């Protein structure tokens, strides 16, 4: 899957099947600090995601 | 996971998009009522930066029917504040809200960027003092000055003050702050006091109030960042940690007497001050702005 991480302005590719929460933890991202968008829709951290999905990870914390 | 109200797909905990917005708006309304932040006919000035928290505050107070105006302080941080000001102008135009922008440059003869070239001040210190000074001066005539501080901001401040044993500063915090017995001071209110930063982000995303991630180039709050990260770890492992801390703090505040000392007048500018000369005039003297 392709994952855009807004805070780093970076796209990464990763093979993954499982819940969003698990994915975030494998990326070392605390789910409390982000929201995640799949096809312009917000998704719950308990949602299952699969290899074909394209995700956007948006940072919750303000910038200054 | 399904929404507990309508059984549609949930986006946060057990709320779908529509019911999350209802839950969030209800929470802000009940914060306003619970802490008696403002009354229906109050004139409210909202301090806005163009970020999600202040835009959400402005958007909701307007939606709830309050008489709001917006004030933005342009510190003069190239590549940062100029971006957020454009978002803000667009937002206020779309929502028919009067917006006033005032700058460090016009009030202190120097932008923040210029000050930091001339003097080795800690950026957040001089910026915060000048910003609060201008907010205070420009909010006279209003019943309240609303800011976008959320639950995360407030819990971080409580924990930081506890760790540093800054009890006087700790006692000044709360959903309403400021020197309430002074005519030179407009009470400051925080309608998002009980809303998690993540909840504010979700609400702002769903209502097109988000802006691109934009970090202040002067950000260097190492201590705050460590407290923030630790609290987020606790929140992940022990849900509701932040709410429990702020609930403790609200109960603690009920049991302490509010300071009754009247503020002094700064002998240079006449504004409220805890010392003979206020922090702003001290900085101005050092920069030789005047």
């Amino acid at each position: 899957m392709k994952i855009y991480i807004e805070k780093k302005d970076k796209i990464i590719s990763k093979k993954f099947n499982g819940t969003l929460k698990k994915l975030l933890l494998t990326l070392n991202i605390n789910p409390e600090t982000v929201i995640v968008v799949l096809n312009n829709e917000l998704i719950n951290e308990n949602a299952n995601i699969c290899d074909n999905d394209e995700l956007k990870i948006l940072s919750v914390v303000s910038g200054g | 996971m399904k929404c507990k109200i309508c059984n549609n797909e949930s986006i946060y905990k057990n709320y779908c998009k529509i019911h999350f917005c209802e839950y969030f708006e209800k929470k802000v309304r009940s914060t306003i009522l619970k802490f008696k932040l403002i009354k229906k006919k109050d004139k409210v000035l909202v301090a806005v930066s163009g970020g999600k928290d202040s835009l959400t505050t402005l958007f909701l107070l307007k939606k709830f029917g309050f008489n709001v105006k917006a004030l933005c302080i342009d510190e003069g941080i190239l590549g940062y504040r100029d971006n957020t000001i454009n978002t803000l102008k667009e937002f206020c135009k779309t929502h028919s809200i009067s917006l006033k922008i005032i700058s460090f440059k016009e009030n202190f003869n120097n932008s923040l960027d210029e000050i930091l070239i001339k003097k080795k001040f800690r950026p957040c210190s001089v910026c915060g003092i000048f910003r609060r000074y201008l907010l205070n001066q420009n909010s006279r005539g209003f019943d309240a000055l609303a800011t976008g501080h959320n639950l995360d901001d407030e819990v971080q401040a409580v924990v930081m003050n506890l760790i540093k044993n800054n009890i006087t500063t700790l006692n000044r915090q709360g959903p309403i702050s400021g020197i309430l017995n002074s005519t030179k001071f407009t009470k400051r209110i925080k309608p998002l006091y009980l809303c998690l930063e993540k909840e504010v982000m979700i609400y702002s995303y769903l209502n097109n109030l988000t802006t691109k991630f934009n970090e202040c180039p002067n950000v260097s709050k190492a201590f705050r960042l460590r407290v923030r990260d630790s609290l987020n770890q606790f929140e992940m492992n022990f849900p509701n940690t932040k709410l429990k801390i702020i609930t403790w703090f609200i109960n603690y505040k009920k049991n302490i007497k509010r300071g009754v000392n009247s503020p002094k007048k700064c002998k240079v500018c006449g504004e409220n001050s805890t010392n003979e000369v206020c922090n702003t005039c001290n900085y101005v003297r050092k920069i030789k702005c005047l």
Side-chain angles (χ1 to χ4, degrees):
Chain A
M1 71 176 65
K2 276 192 179 158
I3 306 164
Y4 172 65
I5 304 174
E6 185 205 32
K7 193 174 179 181
K8 296 179 180 167
D9 196 19
K10 183 168 109 175
I11 297 173
I12 58 166
S13 295
K14 193 169 175 69
K15 280 201 173 300
F16 183 86
N17 278 298
T19 66
L20 174 61
K21 187 172 181 176
K22 251 190 177 167
L23 171 71
L24 292 173
L25 294 177
T26 62
L27 294 172
N28 243 338
I29 296 173
N30 182 335
E32 293 302 318
T33 64
V34 293
I35 60 170
V36 179
V37 177
L38 169 65
N39 301 327
N40 291 322
E41 293 284 349
L42 283 180
I43 53 168
N44 194 303
E45 63 183 38
N46 294 312
N48 276 308
I49 44 173
C50 58
D51 251 348
N52 310 332
D53 289 338
E54 290 192 6
L55 302 176
K56 257 194 234 173
I57 300 179
L58 308 179
S59 177
V60 158
V61 297
S62 45
Chain B
M1 201 171 181
K2 300 289 180 189
C3 171
K4 67 177 179 184
I5 299 166
C6 68
N7 220 28
N8 279 334
E9 209 55 49
S10 69
I11 53 140
Y12 175 74
K13 294 189 175 165
N14 39 15
Y15 290 110
C16 67
K17 283 192 283 193
I18 292 170
H19 291 111
F20 171 80
C21 288
E22 278 185 17
Y23 150 82
F24 185 86
E25 289 177 11
K26 196 173 161 192
K27 193 191 265 200
V28 179
R29 271 183 206 276
S30 68
T31 303
I32 293 170
L33 290 173
K34 180 179 176 183
F35 298 112
K36 300 185 175 74
L37 300 188
I38 32 177
K39 297 187 290 287
K40 205 70 203 171
K41 287 187 177 166
D42 281 354
K43 278 170 67 186
V44 185
L45 184 67
V46 184
V48 281
S49 63
K52 68 177 191 315
D53 302 298
S54 58
L55 283 189
T56 299
T57 306
L58 184 58
F59 176 78
L60 279 179
L61 291 182
K62 170 92 177 165
K63 184 171 181 175
F64 295 163
F66 288 102
N67 178 2
V68 289
K69 286 188 175 169
L71 173 69
C72 173
I73 310 286
D74 179 4
E75 305 92 344
I77 307 170
L78 199 64
Y80 175 65
R81 185 56 74 222
D82 37 347
N83 289 339
T84 58
I85 284 177
N86 287 335
T87 312
L88 189 55
K89 281 181 180 166
E90 194 63 34
F91 175 86
C92 288
K93 197 175 161 193
T94 309
H95 293 87
S96 309
I97 297 170
S98 151
L99 168 68
K100 183 178 174 188
I101 301 174
I102 53 173
S103 69
F104 279 13
K105 182 84 181 171
E106 65 191 317
N107 284 278
F108 303 114
N109 296 332
N110 290 276
S111 67
L112 184 64
D113 287 346
E114 289 167 345
I115 292 169
L116 296 176
I117 289 169
K118 288 180 188 169
K119 295 278 176 185
K120 282 186 181 172
F121 292 137
R122 283 191 306 171
C124 300
S125 184
V126 58
C127 183
I129 287 168
F130 280 8
R131 203 147 26 96
R132 283 191 292 274
Y133 186 90
L134 294 177
L135 285 174
N136 197 34
Q137 271 194 339
N138 287 276
S139 59
R140 288 197 189 119
F142 288 86
D143 298 294
L145 172 67
T147 60
H149 290 94
N150 58 48
L151 178 57
D152 288 53
D153 298 324
E154 295 304 300
V155 175
Q156 286 159 23
V158 167
V159 172
M160 284 162 67
N161 283 321
L162 282 172
I163 294 172
K164 292 189 170 180
N165 194 26
N166 286 339
I167 303 304
T168 314
T169 317
L170 177 75
N171 293 349
R172 275 194 225 129
Q173 285 180 235
I176 298 182
S177 59
I179 308 157
L180 303 179
N181 58 354
S182 166
T183 51
K184 287 210 158 192
F185 213 96
T186 309
K187 76 170 174 179
R188 293 185 184 155
I189 59 159
K190 298 164 186 167
L192 307 183
Y193 193 74
L194 298 177
C195 301
L196 286 166
E197 184 154 33
K198 180 161 177 160
E199 293 176 333
V200 182
M201 180 68 178
I202 293 171
Y203 185 83
S204 64
Y205 183 85
L206 294 173
N207 290 280
N208 293 320
L209 306 171
T210 43
T211 49
K212 204 174 174 323
F213 181 78
N214 193 10
E215 192 162 55
C216 175
N218 301 314
V219 69
S220 62
K221 306 172 206 161
F223 183 56
R224 180 178 276 268
L225 294 190
R226 290 181 78 163
V227 169
R228 183 188 74 191
D229 291 346
S230 303
L231 285 166
N232 281 332
Q233 279 295 326
F234 271 102
E235 187 70 30
M236 181 173 71
N237 295 317
F238 307 101
N240 292 324
T241 294
K242 294 171 189 171
L243 187 60
K244 284 174 190 163
I245 294 174
I246 219 67
T247 306
W248 165 81
F249 176 68
I250 292 163
N251 287 328
Y252 158 83
K253 284 264 295 188
K254 283 182 192 160
N255 296 321
I256 56 163
K257 281 184 185 169
R258 207 182 159 82
V260 289
N261 293 343
S262 293
K264 292 177 192 159
K265 252 188 186 180
C266 169
K267 67 178 185 187
V268 179
C269 68
E271 291 292 329
N272 284 335
S273 172
T274 44
N275 304 310
E276 291 274 289
V277 176
C278 73
N279 284 332
T280 300
C281 290
N282 266 326
Y283 268 116
V284 169
R285 183 180 52 80
K286 286 178 191 166
I287 306 163
K288 294 196 174 93
C289 293
L290 297 176

